[in-house]
């Protein structure tokens, strides 16, 4: 009896209809990836973004030609299908990991360049040997 009651109650779950302005899956991955980056930048140094006149959300909306209502509706629609949503977030995660690898390799190159410049500066401080001086012997 309880099992019948539970199964019948699950049938009344209403699913959201597909929005007319649904953000396509690939674009949604791009938007969510950029949104993650903007959240990170904002939490890292909000003041710098404000000083440079960067408003993260308006920037994101303008860049992708979407509005906040469209983003919320699309997000809610994809969230209803947890498998699809899982695939989207897995792609976002992969993109962020790739960006992190690129960043790490660029940082490594910059550190090597800085070390080379530091060593070059140390070497240039050495006094030159006077080759015109006669040997005392």
């Amino acid at each position: 009896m309880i099992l019948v009651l539970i199964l019948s109650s699950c049938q009344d779950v209403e699913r959201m209809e597909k929005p007319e302005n649904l953000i396509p899956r690939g674009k949604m991955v791009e938007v969510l990836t950029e949104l993650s980056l903007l959240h990170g930048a904002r939490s890292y140094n909000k003041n710098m973004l404000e000083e440079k006149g960067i408003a993260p959300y308006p920037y994101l909306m303008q860049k992708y030609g979407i509005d906040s209502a469209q983003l919320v509706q699309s997000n809610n629609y994809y969230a209803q299908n947890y498998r699809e949503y899982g695939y989207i977030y897995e792609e976002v995660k992969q993109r962020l990991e790739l960006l992190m690898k690129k960043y790490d390799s660029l940082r490594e190159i910059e550190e090597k360049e800085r070390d080379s410049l530091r060593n070059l500066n140390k070497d240039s401080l050495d006094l030159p040997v006077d080759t015109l001086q006669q040997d005392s012997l």
Side-chain angles (χ1 to χ4, degrees), residues 28-44:
M28 190 70 173
V29 169
E30 292 175 22
V31 169
L32 292 175
T33 301
E34 188 113 10
L35 188 61
S36 294
L37 293 171
L38 288 171
H39 276 281
R42 199 175 93 195
S43 65
Y44 178 71

Side-chain angles (χ1 to χ4, degrees), residues 22-34 64 66 71 74 78 84 87-89 91-92 95:
L22 179 70
I23 299 171
R25 179 182 169 181
K27 188 175 185 178
M28 190 70 173
V29 169
E30 292 175 22
V31 169
L32 292 175
T33 301
E34 188 113 10
Y64 290 100
I66 59 175
L71 179 59
S74 296
Y78 285 120
E84 182 73 16
Y87 295 140
I88 288 172
Y89 269 94
E91 285 184 55
V92 170
R95 286 181 179 212

Side-chain angles (χ1 to χ4, degrees), residues 5-106:
L5 183 61
I6 292 172
L7 291 175
S8 65
S9 67
C10 291
Q11 291 177 348
D12 293 336
V13 175
E14 290 185 36
R15 294 221 173 238
M16 178 181 175
E17 288 186 31
K18 182 177 179 180
E20 289 180 23
N21 60 353
L22 179 70
I23 299 171
R25 179 182 169 181
K27 188 175 185 178
M28 190 70 173
V29 169
E30 292 175 22
V31 169
L32 292 175
T33 301
E34 188 113 10
L35 188 61
S36 294
L37 293 171
L38 288 171
H39 276 281
R42 199 175 93 195
S43 65
Y44 178 71
N45 197 342
K46 183 179 178 182
N47 293 335
M48 186 174 76
L49 289 175
E50 290 173 356
E51 288 171 7
K52 302 251 184 216
I54 299 172
Y57 296 109
Y59 162 79
L60 184 73
M61 300 302 148
Q62 182 181 2
K63 180 177 180 179
Y64 290 100
I66 59 175
D67 59 39
S68 58
Q70 183 182 9
L71 179 59
V72 169
Q73 289 174 348
S74 296
N75 192 55
N76 290 341
Y77 178 77
Y78 285 120
Q80 288 183 130
N81 182 348
Y82 67 91
R83 280 196 181 119
E84 182 73 16
Y85 210 49
Y87 295 140
I88 288 172
Y89 269 94
E90 186 59 35
E91 285 184 55
V92 170
K93 179 183 168 191
Q94 289 173 358
R95 286 181 179 212
L96 291 172
E97 287 172 350
L98 181 64
L99 287 170
M100 190 62 149
K101 285 180 185 176
K102 286 181 181 179
Y103 170 77
D104 286 343
S105 66
L106 287 174

